[in-house]
């Protein structure tokens, strides 16, 4: 049976204005798919990359990669979920900005009853990102001091709490004193307002010149070289986003001259590509949230029809914590 759903579609790349609210027809799920009635949808900076064309995709296309809702139907061969399951997800294909969608069942995980749909939609991409960053890309241990850029963003606030929970000291960079207070309240040991302070000099001072073993950088062009300057010899540079623009080409000698540094450009979708890994990552995230050690701060809620405004405010760095669309 075909149903009509409101959804955001992109027919050309560009600014927030290319996000169009349209009616789409949603039929029965194909083999391997599930039809999900969405109660809430997450908004993430990666959505901007797809909308702007920074991450290419075939057009026309949907928007959004994260949501939570209830399974209404399943296609042939689906074993991951059943009709009636409460589920959440983060992953491709894009198309989360919708009331109803058919999607690969393999990226859906069952959402515990203790976690509401809004939290589920807001936490999956950002929470799973923190899970792999702090546990697998570089295994942060109790007593470590780490540098995390954009500490008051959705990923950053989760990272502040997660680091505190495992006994690590997180130095967070922020763009305002207000955002600094949010990061400190979430568990950051120190904050650096990069609009008033040189973050490299502050990291050196805070670590008595020792620097840090790992830097997590989602800012990109504006912070890249400074981030390298904050690393100890044999340290790990984790470049997982480019909010200020892509990292420009650089010589590998930049890594050698600073003490044989390591660098990686990880993505959630590589870390969660295997179903067993996805389920283990989600279970750890759900446990952290259910225990209260990590709280998901949803500080912006928008109607589905106002997706363009949501993107404009996200790009202007007017948002803190997590943002969601309500279909």
């Amino acid at each position: 049976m075909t149903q009509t759903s409101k959804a955001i579609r992109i027919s050309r790349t560009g600014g927030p204005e290319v996000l169009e609210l349209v009616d789409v027809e949603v039929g029965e799920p194909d083999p391997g798919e599930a039809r999900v009635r969405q109660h809430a949808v997450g908004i993430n900076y990666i959505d901007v990359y797809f909308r702007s064309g920074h991450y290419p995709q075939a057009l026309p296309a949907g928007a959004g990669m994260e949501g939570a809702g209830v399974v209404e139907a399943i296609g042939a061969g689906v074993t991951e979920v059943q009709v009636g399951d409460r589920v959440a997800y983060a992953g491709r294909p894009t198309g989360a900005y919708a009331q109803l969608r058919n999607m690969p069942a393999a990226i859906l995980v069952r959402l515990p009853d203790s976690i509401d749909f809004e939290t589920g939609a807001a936490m999956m991409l950002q929470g799973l990102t923190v899970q792999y960053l702090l546990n697998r890309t570089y295994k942060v241990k109790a007593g470590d001091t780490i540098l995390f850029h954009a500490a008051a963003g959705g990923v950053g606030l989760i990272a502040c709490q997660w680091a505190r929970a495992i006994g690590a000291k997180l130095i967070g960079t922020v763009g305002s004193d207000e955002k600094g207070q949010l990061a400190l309240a979430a568990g950051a040991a120190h904050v650096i307002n990069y609009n008033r302070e040189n973050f490299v000099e502050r990291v050196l001072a805070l670590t008595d010149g020792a620097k840090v073993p790992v830097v997590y950088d989602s800012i990109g062009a504006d912070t890249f070289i400074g981030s390298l300057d904050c690393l100890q010899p044999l340290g790990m540079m984790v470049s997982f986003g480019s909010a200020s623009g892509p990292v420009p080409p650089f010589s590998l000698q930049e890594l050698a001259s600073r003490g044989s540094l390591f660098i990686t450009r990880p993505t959630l979708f590589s870390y969660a590509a295997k179903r067993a890994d996805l389920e283990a990552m989600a279970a750890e995230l759900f446990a952290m949230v259910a225990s209260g050690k990590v709280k998901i701060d949803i500080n912006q809620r928008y109607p589905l029809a106002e997706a363009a405004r949501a993107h404009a405010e996200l790009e202007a760095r007017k948002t803190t914590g997590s943002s969601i669309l309500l279909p």
Side-chain angles (χ1 to χ4, degrees):
M1 181 176 118
T2 299
Q3 301 184 54
T4 301
S5 167
K6 294 286 186 187
I8 297 292
R9 288 291 184 267
I10 303 169
S11 57
R12 67 190 194 283
T13 58
E17 70 280 355
V18 306
L19 299 172
E20 300 177 289
L21 184 69
V22 299
D23 289 324
V24 298
E25 300 299 312
V26 181
E28 291 300 305
D30 289 334
E33 290 187 337
R35 187 171 72 227
V36 178
R37 173 73 60 179
Q38 303 201 118
H39 289 245
V41 173
I43 303 170
N44 297 281
Y45 215 94
I46 194 172
D47 304 345
V48 173
Y49 298 156
F50 279 107
R51 188 210 71 216
S52 67
H54 179 56
Y55 286 178
Q57 63 178 336
L59 298 176
M65 306 183 74
E66 176 181 50
V70 176
V71 176
E72 285 194 347
I74 57 174
V78 170
T79 58
E80 295 89 351
V81 294
Q82 298 177 339
V83 172
D85 280 350
R86 301 171 75 252
V87 294
Y89 66 91
R92 299 183 73 170
T94 58
Y97 292 9
Q99 294 172 326
L100 188 69
R101 69 179 299 206
N102 288 330
M103 58 186 304
I107 69 170
L108 296 171
V109 293
R110 291 184 178 88
L111 189 65
D113 291 340
S114 59
I115 298 175
D116 63 70
F117 288 118
E118 291 193 2
T119 302
M123 69 189 269
M124 291 298 291
L125 196 147
Q126 296 169 348
L128 291 174
T129 295
V130 173
Q131 192 279 338
Y132 84 75
L133 287 176
L134 300 191
N135 284 283
R136 296 174 66 191
T137 304
Y138 179 93
K139 180 66 174 175
V140 178
K141 306 176 297 298
D144 282 348
T145 298
I146 66 176
L147 177 62
F148 208 103
H149 289 293
V155 173
L157 288 178
I158 295 172
C160 289
Q161 297 174 78
W162 204 302
R164 177 174 61 185
I166 60 180
K169 293 182 179 179
L170 183 147
I171 302 170
T173 69
V174 295
S176 70
D177 291 341
E178 177 190 16
K179 289 186 174 183
Q181 290 303 313
L182 286 172
L184 288 170
H190 305 280
V191 293
I192 302 168
N193 182 338
Y194 54 73
N195 285 317
R196 287 197 292 101
E197 302 174 284
N198 180 301
F199 74 84
V200 178
E201 293 176 358
R202 284 284 289 140
V203 168
L204 282 167
L206 289 168
T207 60
D208 294 325
K211 303 185 180 181
V212 296
V214 62
V215 176
Y216 296 100
D217 190 337
S218 62
I219 303 299
D222 289 353
T223 51
F224 181 74
I225 294 298
S227 292
L228 296 182
D229 289 336
C230 292
L231 282 165
Q232 300 168 357
L234 308 184
M236 171 72 79
M237 170 66 178
V238 184
S239 175
F240 70 102
S242 49
S244 67
V247 173
F250 70 99
S251 168
L252 290 177
Q253 186 60 31
E254 300 285 356
L255 306 179
S257 65
R258 289 169 173 82
S260 303
L261 302 181
F262 295 87
I263 186 167
T264 183
R265 178 60 176 90
T267 69
L268 169 61
F269 313 113
S270 298
Y271 279 85
K274 295 178 181 177
R275 178 72 190 181
D277 288 338
L278 171 61
E279 290 182 342
M281 293 165 69
E284 185 172 359
L285 172 61
F286 294 156
M288 289 291 276
V289 172
S291 72
K293 292 177 181 177
V294 169
K295 181 178 183 294
I296 307 301
D297 290 311
I298 303 172
N299 295 336
Q300 295 80 214
R301 292 173 172 83
Y302 306 89
L304 181 64
E306 294 185 15
R309 179 167 72 92
H311 272 224
E313 293 183 0
L314 179 65
E315 288 184 274
R317 302 188 185 183
K318 292 181 179 177
T319 64
T320 59
S322 299
S323 302
I324 60 171
L325 294 171
L326 297 173

